[in-house]
Amino acid sequence: NYALSVSNVNQTSMIPNTRYQRTSVNFGAGTRLFNDKISTSFSLTYTNSGGDRGVQGQGRSNILQTVLN
């Protein structure tokens, strides 16, 4: 058996100049051997994410600084 999935997220915030993007691809497969006495499976996942997330860490400590910058 096998499975393939793809997901894409493209999110825009109500706060100006903030967004988030993520794309993921997942593939998995498995098999049973010797009259179902042994089974094996594996999966691979690729994820790419990024964007301008606005408020992060000590540098921009409040939401007003993010909007004004």
Side-chain angles (χ1 to χ4, degrees), residues 4-58:
L4 174 68
S5 65
V6 177
S7 68
N8 186 41
V9 175
N10 189 0
Q11 187 175 32
T12 307
S13 175
M14 57 189 247
I15 300 169
N17 301 320
T18 57
R19 60 182 172 69
Y20 178 70
Q21 298 170 322
R22 182 182 68 224
T23 302
S24 299
V25 178
N26 185 13
F27 176 75
T31 188
R32 293 177 182 253
L33 304 169
F34 305 113
N35 295 326
D36 293 339
K37 293 183 180 181
I38 297 176
S39 65
T40 184
S41 63
F42 76 95
S43 66
L44 297 169
T45 302
Y46 169 78
T47 303
N48 184 6
S49 64
D52 183 3
R53 297 184 190 125
V55 178
Q56 291 181 350
Q58 300 283 333

Side-chain angles (χ1 to χ4, degrees), residues 53-68:
R53 297 184 190 125
V55 178
Q56 291 181 350
Q58 300 283 333
R60 297 179 184 171
S61 59
N62 71 44
I63 196 72
L64 187 57
Q65 288 176 333
T66 302
V67 172
L68 295 176

